[in-house]
Amino acid sequence: GEDVEQSLFLSVREGDSSVINCTYTDSSSTYLYWYKQEPGAGLQLLTYIFSNMDMKQDQRLTVLLNKKDKHLSLRIADTQTGDSAIYFCAESPGSGNTGKLIFGQGTTLQVKP
Amino acid sequence: NAGVTQTPKFQVLKTGQSMTLQCAQDMNHEYMSWYRQDPGMGLRLIHYSVGAGITDQGEVPNGYNVSRSTTEDFPLRLLSAAPSQTSVYFCASSPHTVETQYFGPGTRLLVL
């Protein structure tokens, strides 16, 4: 079945890099996403990567995709206290387009001053 | 554009009561979805729709009904609320390319 796994918690110091990891099971997923959720708020799309790409960089964010191992990571450079939030990895399962997303449990990122 | 709107923001129900969570989008998106978010479990898909008149079940559909009579609206109905349905509910919409989904602000539901 479709499943997305993430570690639950990560703590870093301000200015360090953060790396949040995710594994997924559906090898036919077309897109993989990273969402950010701040306390009491909805989900904000941070970035996404198409399945035929290995890497995508967007300012402080770098997404790496290892399709062979079904492993996705999000690196945040120069992490700031404002980056403290829950980060969700999600896949769009199947090769077709259904509008479905399967989410991981979320990784809580704590940034210490 | 208002984006994706959800009403109400908060709701308290008694076990057995029924209610409808409203979701609307003004972006002419074909795809709409409902998720519930529970602590430590991420978001789980309840129902989704790929266009007006078409709906399908997600991971956790039991206890919920949906309909999609218009492109804009995708209401979620709880026919007989149970405490296990206490959660935060998010509605999302996307164009058919699914490069991104736009999420509403959420509805916090407490069932006593």
Side-chain angles (χ1 to χ4, degrees):
Chain A
E2 303 146 350
D3 196 16
V4 179
E5 297 284 340
Q6 297 177 241
S7 54
L8 295 181
F9 186 77
L10 175 66
S11 180
V12 301
R13 293 233 172 254
E14 192 174 18
D16 289 348
S17 292
S18 307
V19 180
I20 303 172
N21 294 301
C22 169
T23 58
Y24 61 97
T25 56
D26 190 337
S27 58
S28 65
S29 289
T30 308
Y31 292 100
L32 295 136
Y33 305 82
W34 284 103
Y35 282 86
K36 176 183 180 182
Q37 185 180 37
E38 295 180 353
L43 274 76
Q44 171 195 354
L45 178 70
L46 282 179
T47 187
Y48 65 91
I49 187 167
F50 191 51
S51 58
N52 68 354
M53 298 169 64
D54 297 326
M55 185 182 82
K56 181 178 181 181
Q57 188 153 4
D58 184 2
Q59 298 181 339
R60 292 190 297 122
L61 305 179
T62 302
V63 179
L64 294 178
L65 175 61
N66 182 329
K67 200 171 181 181
K68 174 177 171 289
D69 294 337
K70 301 190 189 70
H71 182 267
L72 183 74
S73 68
L74 174 70
R75 178 177 181 269
I76 305 172
D78 187 25
T79 312
Q80 303 298 307
T81 54
D83 295 324
S84 294
I86 303 176
Y87 291 80
F88 291 95
C89 168
E91 65 171 345
S92 177
S95 55
N97 186 4
T98 63
K100 294 170 58 177
L101 286 180
I102 305 298
F103 284 86
Q105 312 96 307
T107 300
T108 298
L109 175 63
Q110 178 189 67
V111 182
K112 297 179 180 178
Chain B
N1 287 349
V4 181
T5 58
Q6 292 184 238
T7 56
K9 291 184 179 179
F10 303 97
Q11 184 69 50
V12 179
L13 290 178
K14 294 182 180 178
T15 297
Q17 286 185 316
S18 63
M19 80 159 295
T20 299
L21 280 65
Q22 302 291 344
C23 174
Q25 51 90 10
D26 60 358
M27 298 173 281
N28 201 32
H29 285 170
E30 296 172 25
Y31 295 152
M32 296 186 75
S33 312
W34 275 104
Y35 297 85
R36 60 177 289 173
Q37 183 178 25
D38 301 295
M41 299 186 74
L43 279 79
R44 292 180 292 168
L45 182 65
I46 304 172
H47 286 284
Y48 65 102
S49 169
V50 298
I54 306 169
T55 64
D56 207 346
Q57 296 181 349
E59 301 172 74
V60 288
N62 292 341
Y64 307 95
N65 283 346
V66 292
S67 60
R68 184 94 181 272
S69 56
T70 66
T71 300
E72 293 77 21
D73 301 296
F74 191 42
L76 179 71
R77 296 183 185 86
L78 284 70
L79 298 179
S80 179
S84 61
Q85 293 178 305
T86 293
S87 188
V88 181
Y89 291 85
F90 288 100
C91 178
S93 75
S94 62
H96 70 280
T97 56
V98 200
E99 289 182 355
T100 184
Q101 284 201 2
Y102 296 85
F103 281 81
T107 294
R108 294 181 181 275
L109 177 66
L110 173 62
V111 183
L112 301 174

